[in-house]
Amino acid sequence: MDITERIAAAETQLAETFKTIAETALYNQEKVLRAFQNNKLAMRHFSPTNGYGYDDIGRDTLNRIFADVFHTEAAIVSPSIASGTHALTLGLFGLLRPGDCLLSIAGMPYDTLEDVITGSGNGSLRDYGVQFECVALREQSFDFAAIEKKLQTHPKVVFIQRSRGYSWRNAFTVEDLAKAIALAKKISPQSIVVVDNCYGEFIETREPTDVGADVVIGSLIKNPGGGLAPTGGYLAGKAVYIEQIGYRLTAPGIGCEVGSYAASYRPFYQGVFMAPHVVSQALKTALLFAEVFRGLGYETLPARDGQIGDIICSIRFAAADQLIGFCQAIQKASPIDSFVVPEPWDMPGYAHPVIMAAGTFVQGASIELSADSPIKEPYIAYLQGGLTYEHGKLALTACLETLAHTA
């Protein structure tokens, strides 16, 4: 079977799943459209501001639209947030105080959060007297018995990372999250449930806030930016918690009353409007890669008929050189910097050398087609994004041709 036939066969197998993805995108597109219409979005909201940014209607309306989309009381959407890790740091520092306990119930958080939580001498939560507890996953899922025991201590914040990070597991679906959140609210109702929603927005018709999460946090250069937002992050949830986080974003007593943006807000509005469609393209790309590589004998996630909680495809390779070669093939198939050959390097915040293929219009935007991995066993490539499904197919073809030439 040649490459074209193999891809066509995979698409046939995925036809019903692709149909469901299209239906979800339509539902989410209508949800976003209604949020725009209900907030009477107009051209004036795109206008830049400067200085303090008092009465910045572009900023304030964008906040309200995100709150509507996530069915929450309030939201912060800010170009000043540099990354998903930065957004999560704002949320955790805004909600936690010395002596409080942060409980992660989905195992250790993503690598870049470790220094934020447990670092020493760098201004981490630990340095400020915040305790940290963690419940490891059991068979790639929540260990409900262990979580119930830990909840007896009534932690201030219960933290859940929705996506897989650099681990071999499926991302959590909203239904998975609903069960864990329900347990947390039953045992420790005063705890604040915070969900790291990165890579999970618009995957389903529901978001974590629809099933009881108090705050969701994410990056605008991932799903909700639709490939157009040039930077930024968001936090959405109950008004009392968003207000506290706003004081960390700027200053106590000032919060979200200030904050200007000297460029146009249009890319942020247009990005979230495009997001349901773009996420569907990325999700189809991830599933196609998983299906084709599975057919070639590789272990992959997610399965066609399994749970789908994010836009990531995990592919397990036998050796480091195979993993590196795969990422280099993704870079070669990129629209930007296709001539660059990525190599593993010591990235800030990571315990192992990391290779990152990201020929993207927005630097580091993982809603655009990209692949990365720490160079350690097991050798797993994490592929994500794809602004168009067509580009995903072309990149897959290029990867398969590279494999054929090196076999």
Side-chain angles (χ1 to χ4, degrees):
M1 186 183 293
D2 67 17
I3 291 174
T4 301
E5 291 173 337
R6 193 174 291 279
I7 291 175
E11 288 181 312
T12 299
Q13 292 291 331
L14 291 164
E16 284 302 313
T17 304
F18 282 5
K19 181 181 178 183
T20 300
I21 290 170
E23 291 169 351
T24 299
L26 178 61
Y27 178 93
N28 285 326
Q29 189 68 73
E30 182 177 18
K31 179 170 64 173
V32 173
L33 177 61
R34 295 299 179 216
F36 276 51
Q37 294 170 339
N38 292 340
N39 285 280
K40 296 180 171 59
L41 191 67
M43 291 292 290
R44 66 179 181 276
H45 294 107
F46 301 161
S47 300
T49 57
N50 55 43
Y52 294 127
Y54 288 129
D55 300 316
D56 184 336
I57 60 170
R59 177 198 66 216
D60 294 343
T61 304
L62 188 61
N63 290 345
R64 288 195 294 271
I65 284 175
F66 266 69
D68 282 0
V69 167
F70 288 96
H71 298 148
T72 61
E73 296 172 352
I76 294 171
V77 188
S78 175
S80 300
I81 297 175
S83 65
T85 299
H86 185 195
L88 290 161
T89 301
L90 284 171
L92 295 176
F93 272 89
L95 297 173
L96 291 158
R97 301 289 181 267
D100 287 343
C101 178
L102 167 65
L103 173 65
S104 172
I105 63 172
M108 284 298 297
Y110 189 69
D111 296 38
T112 56
L113 269 184
E114 290 190 27
D115 277 345
V116 174
I117 296 169
T118 60
S120 180
N122 62 351
S124 68
L125 288 169
R126 179 182 179 183
D127 286 344
Y128 281 88
V130 174
Q131 303 170 48
F132 175 68
E133 299 284 345
C134 178
V135 178
L137 296 175
R138 186 179 182 210
E139 298 178 354
Q140 302 179 11
S141 189
F142 291 113
D143 185 341
F144 288 105
I147 291 171
E148 183 170 356
K149 184 176 180 180
K150 285 289 187 181
L151 286 170
Q152 305 292 339
T153 63
H154 304 296
K156 179 67 173 295
V157 169
V158 174
F159 181 78
I160 308 174
Q161 179 178 292
R162 181 176 180 178
S163 193
R164 68 198 67 194
Y166 284 150
S167 62
W168 184 258
R169 71 166 175 88
N170 281 307
F172 293 120
T173 64
V174 173
E175 185 60 34
D176 295 328
L177 296 174
K179 296 173 184 176
I181 293 168
L183 179 63
K185 292 299 183 182
K186 176 183 177 183
I187 304 300
S188 185
Q190 66 270 49
S191 295
I192 306 167
V193 177
V194 174
V195 175
D196 174 357
N197 208 27
C198 287
Y199 301 104
E201 299 91 350
F202 302 119
I203 295 292
E204 304 180 53
T205 57
R206 297 186 299 172
E207 297 291 339
T209 41
D210 291 317
V211 294
D214 296 304
V215 178
V216 290
I217 302 174
S219 166
L220 296 185
I221 63 170
K222 296 184 175 67
N223 299 20
L228 291 173
T231 185
Y234 77 92
L235 306 97
K238 293 183 177 177
V240 62
Y241 303 137
I242 296 302
E243 182 179 11
Q244 288 179 288
I245 294 166
Y247 294 146
R248 174 58 58 174
L249 175 68
T250 58
I254 296 176
C256 295
E257 296 296 323
V258 302
S260 62
Y261 186 57
S264 171
Y265 284 106
R266 183 190 56 77
F268 301 99
Y269 285 109
Q270 192 171 5
V272 70
F273 182 77
M274 292 293 297
H277 174 70
V278 173
V279 168
S280 76
Q281 302 296 286
L283 188 51
K284 288 172 63 178
T285 296
L287 287 166
L288 184 66
F289 267 82
E291 185 72 18
V292 170
F293 271 84
R294 187 180 303 112
L296 292 169
Y298 292 84
E299 292 183 77
T300 67
L301 291 174
R304 171 195 335 133
D305 53 355
Q307 61 175 8
I308 303 171
D310 64 9
I311 61 169
I312 299 173
C313 166
S314 303
I315 306 171
R316 192 194 294 263
F317 292 92
D321 60 339
Q322 295 177 1
L323 167 62
I324 292 169
F326 174 83
C327 291
Q328 290 174 342
I330 293 295
Q331 183 74 38
K332 191 175 181 180
S334 299
I336 313 300
D337 290 334
S338 60
F339 54 88
V340 172
V341 180
E343 297 287 349
W345 64 297
D346 295 319
M347 288 187 66
Y350 294 88
H352 299 84
V354 174
I355 185 168
M356 287 200 168
T360 56
F361 292 93
V362 174
Q363 186 183 70
S366 43
I367 189 57
E368 301 185 50
L369 188 64
S370 55
D372 55 88
S373 177
I375 307 303
K376 65 175 183 177
E377 294 187 88
Y379 298 111
I380 302 170
Y382 299 91
L383 176 109
Q384 60 270 318
L387 297 178
T388 71
Y389 176 64
E390 291 76 14
H391 178 219
K393 286 180 67 173
L394 293 171
L396 175 57
T397 300
C399 287
L400 296 178
E401 289 173 346
T402 299
L403 283 174
H405 292 148
T406 57

